Amino acid sequence: MRVFSSKGRIKRLEFLFGSIGLFFLLCMCIQIIGAIFDSDIILIALVLPMIGLWIYIQNCLIIKRFHDLDQPGIHALYFLIPLYNIYLFFHLSVKKGEDSKNRYDENMIVFKEAAFEKESPYIYQFPAIEKDANKAIERERIDEEAVSRIRELKALVERREMESRRISDETSCDS
């Protein structure tokens, strides 16, 4: 799991254990630093960057978890709402994600980056390739050339996956 990246998806247990483990690691580091240094200024100077790093990594985990639910990472801003953030944490911890591929899978990120030629406020709401491509063209979020390039890239990825499966099947038969 890439901790410093918000791309991709993570499942419930990865999110829960990552969040809890990260919090306990932060608390443990603060306790160790507090025991070593008596000066409040040094303590604050060392702890504030650690808290900033903790917030960044926790946001990456939250965004990846939203991606697993096939929702945009911008929903992480809901964590700024008091009391609702507690509900949202438990919601992200227990709600089952998408079993099938969604728009935030690693190979879908390639399609997303290739699709947007126009600047759009809807850039985080990329449509599913087959279902909503025509609607996206009508709403002028993407153009027809971009959709055709996406379909070409999708076909290329599928061919590469089939090729890698074929090669792995051949090597397993040889063994």
Side-chain angles (χ1 to χ4, degrees):
M1 173 171 59
R2 290 175 286 165
V3 179
F4 295 104
S5 172
S6 61
K7 290 185 179 181
R9 301 164 50 176
I10 58 172
K11 298 294 181 192
R12 293 176 285 190
L13 285 177
E14 290 175 87
F15 172 73
L16 189 60
F17 289 138
S19 297
I20 292 171
L22 193 61
F23 179 74
F24 281 118
L25 181 66
L26 176 71
C27 291
M28 196 168 51
C29 289
I30 290 173
Q31 288 292 325
I32 291 171
I33 291 172
I36 294 173
F37 299 104
D38 290 334
S39 173
D40 289 339
I41 295 173
I42 294 174
L43 182 64
I44 291 172
L46 292 174
V47 169
L48 283 180
M50 289 175 45
I51 292 173
L53 183 63
W54 172 72
I55 290 171
Y56 176 77
I57 294 172
Q58 185 64 39
N59 279 331
C60 288
L61 292 174
I62 290 168
I63 290 169
K64 288 179 190 179
R65 187 66 189 116
F66 274 119
H67 287 176
D68 190 46
L69 299 172
D70 201 21
Q71 296 178 2
I74 196 80
H75 289 310
L77 293 176
Y78 291 142
F79 271 85
L80 297 174
I81 302 171
L83 298 178
Y84 184 68
N85 56 6
I86 297 169
Y87 161 76
L88 197 55
F89 179 81
F90 287 113
H91 175 74
L92 291 177
S93 299
V94 297
K95 180 155 171 125
K96 189 174 194 259
E98 297 282 321
D99 287 332
S100 60
K101 289 183 178 181
N102 68 19
R103 60 185 165 182
Y104 298 104
D105 284 326
E106 292 299 321
N107 59 353
M108 290 304 291
I109 292 170
V110 173
F111 303 139
K112 190 187 313 184
E113 290 171 355
F116 291 98
E117 305 230 321
K118 302 176 182 179
E119 290 187 22
S120 169
Y122 305 103
I123 199 156
Y124 57 88
Q125 296 178 345
F126 183 72
I129 300 291
E130 299 301 323
K131 288 191 262 179
D132 296 336
N134 292 332
K135 287 182 186 176
I137 292 169
E138 289 171 11
R139 293 181 185 156
E140 297 182 355
R141 289 187 187 169
I142 56 177
D143 59 8
E144 292 181 33
E145 288 180 33
V147 172
S148 65
R149 280 191 292 167
I150 292 169
R151 290 189 174 129
E152 290 171 10
L153 286 170
K154 183 178 179 184
L156 178 67
V157 168
E158 288 174 356
R159 281 195 301 269
R160 287 184 181 170
E161 286 175 355
M162 289 176 60
E163 182 69 22
S164 65
R165 276 191 232 123
R166 185 185 60 78
I167 290 172
S168 65
D169 289 343
E170 288 176 359
T171 56
S172 64
C173 291
D174 292 340
S175 300

